[in-house]
Amino acid sequence: MAKLGFGNPTRLAWGFLTPALLLLSIFVLGPIGYLIYLSFTSGSFTQTGTQWAGWSNYQRAIASPDFWQVLGNTLYFSLATIIPSIILPLIIAALLEQAIALKSLLRTAYFLPAITSMVAVGLGWRWLFQTDGPVNALLAQIGITPIAWLGSSTWAMPILILLSIWKQLGFNLVVFLAGLQAIPQSRYDAAELDGANGVQQFRHVTLPGLYPTLVFVIVTTAMFTLRSFEQVYVITGGGPLNSTNILVYYVYEEAFALFDIGYAAASATLLLLVALSLVTLQLRLTET
């Protein structure tokens, strides 16, 4: 590259990287750093309205039963959403790759939830599962007593999990389809010549070929799940009895309802640690 007049290749590389690094620092690293700073303060948003509080916000969170309940809700919600959101689209994508009719129509139908507004969808699901809603009306037709889905600490969280799985399925399906198309057909032909059946081909050809795609889907699904907010805000508001309150909504309430900015920042920092830990665990499980 030096012969072409571009100068030192290392300097050229850093020249191209600098704008991206600046944007990363301004919009990602800077806010994270400010968040961590706020977690050690108490007071308002403004610089003059904050006072140094040390580790008190973290100590308060660790000593709070509500925080531990919310953390448990978050882990339950995340694991119950992530695992089906990976397995179901993977199976459906493998089936859609077979020579079946209406393949394009089915792909479009599965992807539609991914492009719909979560707020609009949440309002629709709240109407479906309200006490006098269509779901209970259907159950009454077959002799089942209506259930207070959104008013029950047992059933409210599964409704949110089901909605989140449905919303994420289309995106993951499209990603898996792209990954399947990148696997050479010659691998399947060789496996078939060796006498491998469909299940064996899926296990020994499809899954290894999808490894990079699988890692991407795991990370993006985990991020989507851990930042879930709209469905809780629209459908349950964290209730009943705090049973559907997850960390993102908990941070929102502390910051914008109670205006406890320092404690909200500490909770958000702990959420960041949970997210990093969960993604790291998933990547290590994927490697094995």
Side-chain angles (χ1 to χ4, degrees), residues 36-157:
I36 296 173
Y37 162 74
L38 284 177
S39 69
F40 291 98
T41 66
S42 61
S44 65
F45 277 116
T46 62
Q47 184 73 20
T48 57
T50 59
Q51 299 84 36
W52 186 257
W55 293 95
S56 61
N57 290 319
Y58 292 97
Q59 293 170 350
R60 175 184 164 192
I62 293 173
S64 171
D66 287 341
F67 176 81
W68 288 106
Q69 181 185 6
V70 169
L71 180 60
N73 292 342
T74 303
L75 295 177
Y76 166 41
F77 174 80
S78 299
L79 294 176
T81 300
I82 292 170
I83 295 174
S85 295
I86 295 171
I87 295 176
L88 288 177
L90 177 58
I91 295 174
I92 296 172
L95 294 175
L96 285 178
E97 273 298 289
Q98 307 302 317
I100 60 174
L102 303 177
K103 182 188 298 186
S104 298
L105 179 62
L106 288 174
R107 288 177 179 176
T108 303
Y110 279 118
F111 187 70
L112 280 177
I115 60 176
T116 55
S117 166
M118 179 61 86
V119 174
V121 170
L123 291 172
W125 279 62
R126 189 175 69 177
W127 169 71
L128 286 172
F129 287 96
Q130 63 187 5
T131 305
D132 56 348
V135 173
N136 276 335
L138 180 61
L139 293 178
Q141 293 294 324
I142 58 177
I144 299 179
T145 304
I147 301 172
W149 300 100
L150 304 180
S152 168
S153 57
T154 301
W155 290 107
M157 182 65 86

